[in-house]
């Protein structure tokens, strides 16, 4: 049977053309994504303008800017701007400085141990920001900090030398958290630098430092600015670090202030003010993301890979070869090893005490036993498992369907769909949580019973992570040539078999990579669950750790933290192998 006689097929010359596919499921995907993104944001805007005390009492006839006046009329809002600016700028400066130094040394110098550093730095992604902040409280708290107490005893100091409950403390911990992502973003930039440009500068009499400053860094300007903006948005939206280190000292930034308004000491949340502040927060984040997109769009002006005879030139460090390795080791110690050892130590103690011979003699396994015997912990672990499976699988499936519409269809709204799918990337997690809070409270009013349960958290996570999932899926589907689909269709294979026999095997690494990436972030994140959960039976592990820390159960937090970090280390290793591939051979 020829192609012309196949039902539903037509030809133009010798070029086989497919029948126009039904747009029914394309429209369904569009509606789902639009609802997940636009519905909560619409209610966030209405909530900021409504004078209703509760989200379920919105009256469109009574809208005003009263909550904005309350927020802007409060002098603490301006202190909030200052704290947030200093915190974000300082954390980005610390994180980018370390990441640039490590990435440049790994890619452009003859430092020893490159492969280990290339593999080790991204492994610090396994340390959740919340646990990292808690560990530094145990180390640098003015009252119980082990390092402070050791130094006070050693030098006879009256006052503790360090205080982690300050802006410098927040900057230090958040700066460490930003390093691995910035490192991964900077590695390709240094790898793509054409050595002939630096050689020309050297022949003109420029010193190595001058060549780096005037040639290398200037040519890398778009990439560096993009990394700076991306990391600034990441620092702006994070809640866990300022929540652990700033809130106890009354040191608020945007994210913690929004959380405080929703968890007022009076018992009744200030929903309207929280929404008004979240809107300002959203405008800043969207503006920064827009600037990031503009920088990326103009990057071709700084093309530096010429192709012919291209080979990166390595700088000879001479007697300084060991300095970069020392920096990398110090970073790994501060970011993951020291926090892990602190949690391991306190998890065996009957009560928190400074390391000593007596402390080691009093160690016990009872806290690990309690982890497996306390019902509340078992419930949180089961909830986390269910949430991980549901949210990760939903993210993979929805991202694949969205990308299929964007890349393979002629659906009228595919470009808009692409923008909607990427929009959550510009929405900070705490803002997304507030927006979905209003949506689910309205759904409860309509009888859907979504608020407070795992379903609501899974929906919010899925909506938030499709921005990453669609970027990966778009690239993966573009690599699959249409000839494979055409061959399957000509052979009489239905759509579902084409998906199963062609797309699934070829896209399996991307599916697994997105699934594990989502899993890592679902387990690590505390901001969304803290806002959306209701009742102990709906706690997940991040919420349980937060509540245990608040209750002073530090040893149990240590035991759970140790196990959580080890599991996340294994998962991070898996995503490095599956999602990003093995480390390239270093010269």
């Amino acid at each position: 049977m020829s192609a012309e006689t196949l039902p539903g097929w037509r030809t133009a010359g010798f070029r086989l053309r497919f029948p126009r596919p039904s747009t029914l499921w394309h429209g369904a995907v569009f509606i789902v994504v639009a609802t997940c993104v636009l519905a909560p944001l619409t209610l966030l805007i209405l909530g900021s303008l409504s004078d209703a005390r509760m989200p379920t009492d919105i009256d469109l006839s009574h809208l005003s800017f009263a909550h904005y006046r309350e927020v802007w009329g409060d002098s603490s809002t301006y202190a909030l701007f200052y704290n947030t600016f200093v915190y974000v700028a300082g954390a980005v400066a610390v994180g980018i400085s370390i990441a640039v130094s490590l990435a440049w040394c790994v890619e452009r110098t003859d430092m020893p141990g490159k492969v280990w550093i290339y593999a080790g730095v991204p492994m610090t992604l396994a340390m959740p920001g919340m646990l990292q902040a808690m560990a530094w409280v145990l180390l640098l708290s003015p009252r119980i900090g082990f390092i402070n107490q050791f130094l006070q005893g050693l030098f006879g100091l009256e006052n503790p030398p360090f205080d982690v409950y300050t802006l410098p403390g927040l900057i230090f911990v958040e700066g460490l958290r930003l390093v691995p992502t910035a490192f991964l973003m900077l590695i390709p930039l240094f790898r793509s630098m054409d050595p002939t440009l630096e050689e020309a500068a050297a022949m003109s009499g420029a010193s190595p430092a001058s060549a780096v400053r005037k040639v290398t860094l200037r040519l890398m300007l778009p990439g560096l600015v993009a990394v700076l903006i991306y990391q600034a948005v990441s620092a702006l939206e994070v809640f866990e670090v300022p929540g652990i280190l700033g809130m106890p000292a009354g040191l608020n930034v945007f994210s913690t202030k929004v959380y405080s308004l929703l968890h007022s000491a009076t018992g009744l949340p200030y929903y309207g003010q929280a929404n008004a502040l979240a809107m300002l927060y959203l405008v800043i984040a969207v503006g920064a993301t827009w600037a990031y997109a503009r920088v990326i769009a103009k990057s071709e002006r700084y093309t530096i890979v010429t192709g012919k005879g291209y080979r990166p030139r390595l700088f000879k460090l001479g007697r300084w070869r060991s300095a970069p390795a020392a920096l990398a080791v110090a970073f790994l110690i501060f970011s993951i090893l020291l926090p892990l050892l602190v949690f391991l130590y306190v998890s065996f103690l009957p009560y928190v005490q400074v390391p000593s011979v007596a402390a080691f003699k009093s160690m016990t396994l009872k806290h690990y036993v309690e982890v497996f015997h306390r019902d509340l912990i078992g419930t949180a672990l089961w909830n986390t498992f269910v949430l991980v499976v549901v949210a990760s699988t939903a993210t993979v499936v929805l991202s694949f369907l969205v990308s299929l519409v964007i890349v393979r269809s002629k659906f009228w709204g595919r470009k808009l769909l692409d923008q909607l799918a990427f929009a959550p990337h510009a929405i900070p997690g705490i803002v997304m949580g507030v927006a979905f809070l209003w949506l689910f409270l309205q759904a409860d009013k309509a009888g859907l019973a979504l608020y407070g349960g795992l379903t609501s958290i899974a929906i919010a996570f899925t909506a938030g992570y499709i921005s990453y999932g669609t970027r990966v899926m778009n690239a993966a589907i573009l690599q699959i040539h249409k000839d494979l689909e055409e061959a399957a269709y000509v052979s009489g294979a239905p759509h579902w078999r084409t998906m199963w026999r062609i797309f699934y095997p070829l896209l399996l690494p991307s599916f697994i990579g997105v699934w594990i990436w989502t899993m890592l972030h679902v387990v690590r994140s505390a901001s969304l669950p803290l806002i959306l959960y209701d009742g102990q039976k709906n706690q997940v592990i991040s919420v349980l750790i937060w509540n245990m820390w608040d209750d002073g159960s530090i040893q149990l937090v240590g035991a759970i933290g140790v196990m959580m970090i080890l599991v996340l280390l294994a998962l991070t290793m898996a995503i490095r192998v599956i999602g990003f591939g093995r480390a390239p051979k270093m010269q």
Side-chain angles (χ1 to χ4, degrees):
M1 183 182 294
S2 66
E4 289 83 358
T5 61
L6 288 173
W9 296 80
R10 60 181 180 273
T11 59
F14 294 99
R15 183 175 177 81
L16 186 65
R17 292 189 178 181
F18 297 99
R20 186 175 181 180
S22 171
T23 59
L24 182 62
W25 73 272
H26 297 164
V29 171
F30 183 88
I31 291 172
V32 169
V33 174
T35 301
C36 287
V37 175
L38 297 180
L41 290 181
T42 301
L43 287 172
L44 181 72
I45 296 171
L46 292 177
S48 69
L49 297 172
S50 173
D51 59 4
R53 190 66 173 136
M54 294 296 293
T56 52
D57 300 330
I58 291 181
D59 185 353
L60 297 181
S61 63
H62 292 83
L63 301 179
S64 70
F65 290 94
H67 296 306
Y68 289 91
R69 287 193 293 269
E70 289 177 12
V71 170
W72 281 104
D74 188 351
S75 59
S76 65
T77 300
Y78 300 96
L80 194 69
F81 271 104
Y82 172 79
N83 290 343
T84 305
F85 174 78
V86 173
Y87 160 67
V88 171
V92 170
V94 171
I96 294 295
S97 298
I98 297 174
V100 166
S101 301
L102 292 175
W104 182 78
C105 290
V106 166
E107 287 295 333
R108 304 307 311 278
T109 73
D110 62 343
M111 68 170 291
K114 290 185 182 183
V115 172
W116 298 107
I117 295 171
Y118 184 90
V121 172
M123 290 299 103
T124 58
L125 288 168
M127 175 61 68
M130 180 171 61
L131 290 178
Q132 195 169 38
M134 290 174 179
W136 283 104
V137 168
L138 293 171
L139 290 167
L140 297 180
S141 166
R143 187 171 59 87
I144 64 170
F146 299 153
I147 293 178
N148 278 331
Q149 292 191 35
F150 172 76
L151 293 176
Q152 282 181 273
L154 182 64
F155 298 107
L157 302 176
E158 251 185 67
N159 298 315
F162 301 107
D163 185 359
V164 77
Y165 297 117
T166 59
L167 273 175
L170 269 70
I171 289 170
F172 169 70
V173 176
E174 179 62 17
L176 292 177
R177 193 190 71 85
L178 294 177
V179 170
T181 301
F183 175 82
L184 290 173
M185 296 175 75
L186 289 165
I187 281 288
L189 296 179
F190 285 108
R191 187 175 299 161
S192 301
M193 179 61 63
D194 191 338
T196 59
L197 302 173
E198 296 162 328
E199 290 170 359
M203 291 179 65
S204 300
S207 65
S210 180
V212 168
R213 187 178 70 255
K214 294 182 178 180
V215 177
T216 307
L217 293 181
R218 289 190 180 184
L219 286 171
M220 291 177 59
L221 185 61
L224 285 175
V225 172
V227 174
L228 283 170
I229 295 173
Y230 183 89
Q231 294 297 80
V233 172
S234 297
L236 182 69
E237 72 172 5
V238 73
F239 166 76
E240 292 85 354
V241 172
I244 295 295
L245 302 180
M247 288 176 63
L251 184 63
N252 280 314
V253 295
F254 265 124
S255 57
T256 56
K257 183 63 175 179
V258 172
Y259 176 82
S260 298
L261 289 171
L262 293 174
H263 294 78
S264 170
T266 62
L268 190 60
Y270 293 96
Y271 288 112
Q273 292 183 32
N275 280 28
L277 189 60
M279 285 301 300
L280 301 175
Y281 191 16
L282 179 60
V283 168
I284 294 172
V286 169
T289 306
W290 175 83
Y292 173 74
R294 293 282 295 175
V295 170
I296 292 297
K298 296 181 179 181
S299 59
E300 70 277 359
R301 298 181 183 178
Y302 294 82
T303 302
I304 52 179
V305 178
T306 58
K308 187 175 181 181
Y310 170 75
R311 184 180 60 85
R313 181 171 65 92
L314 299 182
F315 283 92
K316 304 294 183 181
L317 295 177
R319 60 179 180 175
W320 298 102
R321 288 188 70 219
S322 59
L327 173 64
V329 170
F331 166 72
L332 293 174
I333 290 173
F334 282 125
S335 61
I336 194 166
L337 183 60
L338 200 52
L340 178 59
L341 291 177
V342 168
F343 280 127
L344 188 64
Y345 170 71
V346 299
S347 68
F348 290 114
L349 296 178
Y351 59 91
V352 178
Q353 53 188 305
V354 179
S356 64
V357 175
F360 282 98
K361 287 183 178 179
S362 67
M363 285 184 170
T364 174
L365 289 171
K366 70 175 185 178
H367 301 299
Y368 287 93
V369 174
E370 188 174 351
V371 166
F372 293 101
H373 287 83
R374 185 181 283 196
D375 291 339
L376 193 58
I377 296 177
T379 300
L381 288 172
W382 173 252
N383 288 344
T384 303
F385 173 77
V386 172
L387 181 63
V388 159
V389 172
V390 173
S392 301
T393 304
T395 300
V396 170
V397 172
L398 184 58
S399 298
F400 170 69
L401 294 176
V402 169
S403 295
L404 208 58
V405 174
I406 294 170
V407 177
R408 283 291 199 262
S409 80
K410 295 183 179 180
F411 180 61
W412 65 266
R414 63 185 184 278
K415 291 184 179 179
L416 178 58
L417 177 63
D418 191 28
Q419 294 173 352
L420 286 173
F422 188 68
H425 178 72
I427 304 173
I430 199 79
V431 175
M432 182 72 82
V434 176
F436 272 104
L437 174 64
W438 281 72
L439 178 64
F440 294 138
L441 286 172
Q442 291 293 327
D444 269 22
K445 185 180 179 181
L448 294 180
L450 289 174
Y451 170 68
L454 293 179
T455 303
S456 64
I457 303 174
I459 292 173
F461 272 132
T462 302
Y465 294 145
I466 58 171
S467 56
Y468 172 82
T470 52
R471 299 309 101 180
V472 175
M473 294 297 179
N474 285 354
I477 293 176
L478 282 170
Q479 291 179 335
I480 301 177
H481 201 280
K482 289 184 178 181
D483 286 352
L484 298 174
E485 299 166 67
E486 292 177 1
Y489 294 148
V490 170
S491 300
H495 287 286
W496 69 267
R497 186 177 291 277
T498 303
M499 293 292 174
W500 180 252
R501 298 296 296 274
I502 295 177
F503 276 98
Y504 176 74
L506 293 175
L507 293 178
L508 185 58
S510 298
F511 289 155
I512 296 174
V514 172
W515 202 94
I516 296 178
W517 184 92
T518 306
M519 176 200 290
L520 278 172
H521 286 73
V522 168
V523 174
R524 289 159 51 98
S525 178
S527 55
L528 272 177
L530 277 170
I531 290 178
L532 295 178
Y533 95 101
D534 184 37
Q536 290 187 339
K537 66 178 182 178
N538 291 317
Q539 288 187 111
V540 292
I541 196 67
S542 58
V543 173
L544 181 67
I545 291 174
W546 178 277
N547 291 334
M548 282 183 167
W549 181 264
D550 268 355
D551 294 338
S553 303
I554 297 176
Q555 298 94 314
L556 270 177
V557 170
I560 297 173
V562 168
M563 293 185 286
M564 186 175 177
I565 292 168
L566 293 178
V567 170
L568 290 178
L569 268 173
L571 293 175
T572 306
M573 198 173 298
I575 197 172
R576 286 287 294 152
V577 172
I578 297 172
F580 298 102
R582 299 183 182 276
K585 183 178 180 180
M586 300 294 176
Q587 296 183 10

